[in-house]
Amino acid sequence: ENMIESIVALLMFVNGEIKEHLIQKNMAACLRGKRHAEREYSESVSYKCYKGKAETEIYKGRKSIKSLILE
């Protein structure tokens, strides 16, 4: 069952396109994850923390993002 809810997510961009997103507990956890991920530098990869709405789903007991709702 899909739901629309407010989330904080760590977004991974590869060549400017979102390739991966992970739901985070809060912005502090997201920024920590971003710092950690950025230790492995790659020219084509960047990370951003996103706070906003998303369509989420539960699959095999784990909540994941189906789509971000950019307003």
Side-chain angles (χ1 to χ4, degrees), residues 6-63:
S6 293
I7 52 111
V8 173
L10 178 57
L11 308 180
M12 174 189 189
F13 290 85
V14 178
N15 296 320
E17 282 184 34
I18 297 173
K19 286 294 177 201
E20 208 172 296
H21 33 52
L22 290 171
I23 295 175
Q24 305 290 306
K25 277 192 189 113
N26 53 41
M27 190 54 82
C30 188
L31 292 170
R32 227 180 354 264
K34 178 178 183 279
R35 264 196 316 276
H36 186 75
E38 284 175 340
R39 286 188 191 137
E40 285 191 31
Y41 175 75
S42 168
E43 204 174 292
S44 60
V45 179
S46 66
Y47 298 89
K48 287 193 172 81
C49 288
Y50 167 81
K51 185 176 189 172
K53 290 195 164 81
E55 184 179 351
T56 60
E57 67 179 350
I58 308 254
Y59 179 71
K60 292 188 177 177
R62 288 191 61 197
K63 185 185 288 189

